[in-house]
Amino acid sequence: MSESEPERILHLQEEVDQLKEAVASHAVVDQAIGMVVALGRVTPDAGWAVLKDISQHTNIKLRNVADLILVWGRSGDMPPEIRVELAEALERYGPTQIPGAPPAG
C-alpha cells in the first residue's frame, strides 16, 4: 500500500528537516575543527581526531563538543572536563611544525 499524498509530504518534510540539521551540525563541527587546528597548531585530520577523542572520553556527543569549543572561542569559557580532555588530546596529536618556521624548542 502506498503513502497518501499528505503522508508523503510529511515524510519528505521530515527528511528535509533531518538534512538541514545534518548540514548545520556539519558546519559546527567544521568550525570547531578549524579552531582546534588554528589554536592547537595541528592538521585538520588531527583536529577531527581531537574532537572525537574529547567526545569519547567525556561521553558527550561530538556535535555538543564542537558547540562547546565554539563557545570557548567566543567567550573563553570552557567546562573544566572539556579543557582537560582538549589539553590531553592536543598533547597526543600536536602541535605540527609550521613550514619554514624554526624548529620548536
Side-chain angles (χ1 to χ4, degrees), residues 22 25-26 39 50 54 72 77-78 86 99:
S25 180
H26 188 67
L39 298 173
V50 164
I54 294 169
W72 169 58
D77 294 331
M78 180 184 289
L86 176 62

Side-chain angles (χ1 to χ4, degrees), residues 37-78:
V37 165
L39 298 173
R41 293 188 1 240
V42 296
T43 65
D45 285 345
W48 168 250
V50 164
L51 290 184
K52 280 193 341 184
D53 274 14
I54 294 169
S55 175
Q56 290 170 350
H57 288 113
T58 60
N59 203 27
I60 298 173
K61 289 184 178 187
L62 190 111
R63 164 69 173 7
N64 295 343
V65 168
D67 276 331
L68 291 168
I69 298 287
L70 296 181
V71 167
W72 169 58
R74 289 190 299 270
S75 70
D77 294 331
M78 180 184 289

Side-chain angles (χ1 to χ4, degrees), residues 1-19:
M1 189 163 123
S2 65
E3 291 180 304
S4 68
E5 190 67 19
E7 288 172 332
R8 181 161 164 66
I9 291 170
L10 181 61
H11 180 75
L12 289 173
Q13 185 59 53
E14 288 172 354
E15 281 187 42
V16 168
D17 290 345
Q18 289 172 356
L19 289 171

